[in-house]
Amino acid sequence: MNAMNTENGKTFKYSEAILHLLAAAFFFSFMTFFIRISGNLPTMQKTFFRNFFALIIATASLLKTKTGFYIRKGNGVSILMRCLFGTSGMIANFWAIDRLGIADANMLNKLSPFFAIIVSYFIMKEIPTKTDWGCVFLAFFGALFIVKPSFGLMSIPALVALYGGFGAGAAYAFVHKMGQTGQPGKTIVFYFSLFSSLVSGPFLIFDWHPMEIWQWACLIGAGVCAAIAQFNITAAYQKAPAKDISVFDYTQVIFAAILGILFLNEYPDALSIIGYVIIISAAVIKWMINRKKTQ
């Protein structure tokens, strides 16, 4: 049976939301893996094809279901902000993936639920509790073990990855806001993919690197996995509040670490593992407290 709860007049479907979020984490980890193994290609070239193939799938899905491309009244700004933060965060994440281990890059990107708390305060006036703030600070403390901040250039990729997490968190805050108005998730995915393709496309004119067949296959795989993940994560945050389900998004770092170990011979160091444990613990604590309050 699907666990459901009514809050502020809205009925949420937790089991479905959790399954969608697990599926999103699984496919996002494979998207990251395909981006990483696609070789020494410019970040913008990877970004374009990741979104272009996702755009094809999103367009076909909209046409098949006859959902339409209509943006509900009042959601124009939210769509734009979702696209701006999502695209800039994705570019930052892709750039960092080529310079960090995929597990490290994914874990820093998974600070997005905590950034979403901060952004939600400004766009939806959702006031964080002391528990929310405590978990935010605990997560940032854990991130320090992964970023390993210094005054040298070695910390730049980690800081860029950190911004990738902020961009994703801000984007999902706007997704949650649009979900409350009934904006179809497929439409949100379509406009995000279209915007990202238009932003990254012009860079191919000035910095195009010819690709071999295996690289085309990697980027097509990244686009397909990204589209599936986007549909699932959008559905998840529309079916339940982020504060109650976001902890399950952290399974992505587990999938990413397994892929890194099996195929890339990447083993997280001791400090990174400590950082993972702290951040995941913060998410679990936050989820358990919120779940207890809901029950």
Side-chain angles (χ1 to χ4, degrees), residues 4-289:
M4 302 177 66
N5 184 63
T6 300
E7 193 173 299
N8 295 328
K10 297 180 180 294
T11 300
F12 301 113
K13 300 179 179 180
Y14 290 111
S15 297
E16 290 183 19
I18 290 169
L19 289 175
H20 279 298
L21 209 53
L22 290 174
F26 178 80
F27 284 104
F28 269 136
S29 65
F30 267 94
M31 179 207 73
T32 303
F33 174 72
F34 282 128
I35 289 295
R36 176 65 184 275
I37 67 172
S38 62
N40 188 25
L41 297 174
T43 298
M44 285 301 189
Q45 190 166 330
K46 293 181 179 182
T47 301
F48 173 79
F49 284 106
R50 173 260 189 246
N51 288 287
F52 179 71
F53 293 118
L55 175 62
I56 294 175
I57 295 174
T59 303
S61 178
L62 282 174
L63 294 174
K64 182 179 179 180
T65 59
K66 299 180 180 180
T67 302
F69 301 88
Y70 177 71
I71 299 176
R72 288 179 176 268
K73 185 178 180 180
N75 281 344
V77 174
S78 293
I79 283 280
L80 177 61
M81 298 306 291
R82 188 269 181 270
C83 292
L84 285 173
F85 282 114
T87 299
S88 61
M90 177 175 52
I91 292 171
N93 188 39
F94 283 6
W95 186 87
I97 286 171
D98 288 333
R99 294 160 179 81
L100 293 173
I102 62 172
D104 281 8
N106 271 280
M107 179 57 29
L108 289 169
N109 188 256
K110 289 300 103 183
L111 282 170
S112 55
F114 298 100
F115 285 120
I117 294 175
I118 300 173
V119 176
S120 294
Y121 170 76
F122 293 100
I123 68 172
M124 289 181 288
K125 304 303 179 184
E126 293 182 351
I127 301 176
T129 64
K130 292 182 179 179
T131 300
D132 293 331
W133 284 122
C135 290
V136 168
F137 288 121
L138 181 60
F140 277 116
F141 177 69
L144 293 177
F145 287 89
I146 303 172
V147 176
K148 305 176 184 67
S150 68
F151 294 103
L153 293 177
M154 292 300 292
S155 65
I156 290 179
L159 292 174
V160 171
L162 192 63
Y163 173 78
F166 169 76
Y172 292 136
F174 283 102
V175 168
H176 178 57
K177 181 181 180 182
M178 287 185 284
Q180 294 179 329
T181 68
Q183 181 69 45
K186 293 180 180 179
T187 308
I188 298 174
V189 174
F190 167 79
Y191 282 107
F192 169 64
S193 301
L194 175 63
F195 181 89
S196 299
S197 297
L198 292 175
V199 168
S200 56
F203 287 88
L204 273 62
I205 300 174
F206 306 102
D207 192 19
W208 167 261
H209 286 211
M211 297 189 294
E212 298 182 22
I213 295 178
W214 65 269
Q215 291 177 305
W216 281 101
C218 286
L219 294 184
I220 291 173
V224 172
C225 289
I228 298 173
Q230 283 289 340
F231 284 130
N232 276 283
I233 201 166
T234 301
Y237 284 119
Q238 288 182 323
K239 291 180 180 293
K243 66 183 179 65
D244 294 323
I245 63 171
S246 60
V247 64
F248 295 97
D249 198 18
Y250 285 84
T251 55
Q252 181 179 338
V253 74
I254 299 175
F255 296 134
I258 292 173
L259 290 173
I261 292 172
L262 292 179
F263 299 105
L264 302 176
N265 197 32
E266 292 182 350
Y267 295 87
D269 61 24
L271 289 177
S272 292
I273 292 175
I274 292 173
Y276 299 157
V277 172
I278 292 174
I279 294 175
I280 293 176
S281 296
V284 171
I285 291 170
K286 181 173 179 293
W287 173 71
M288 290 180 65
I289 292 175

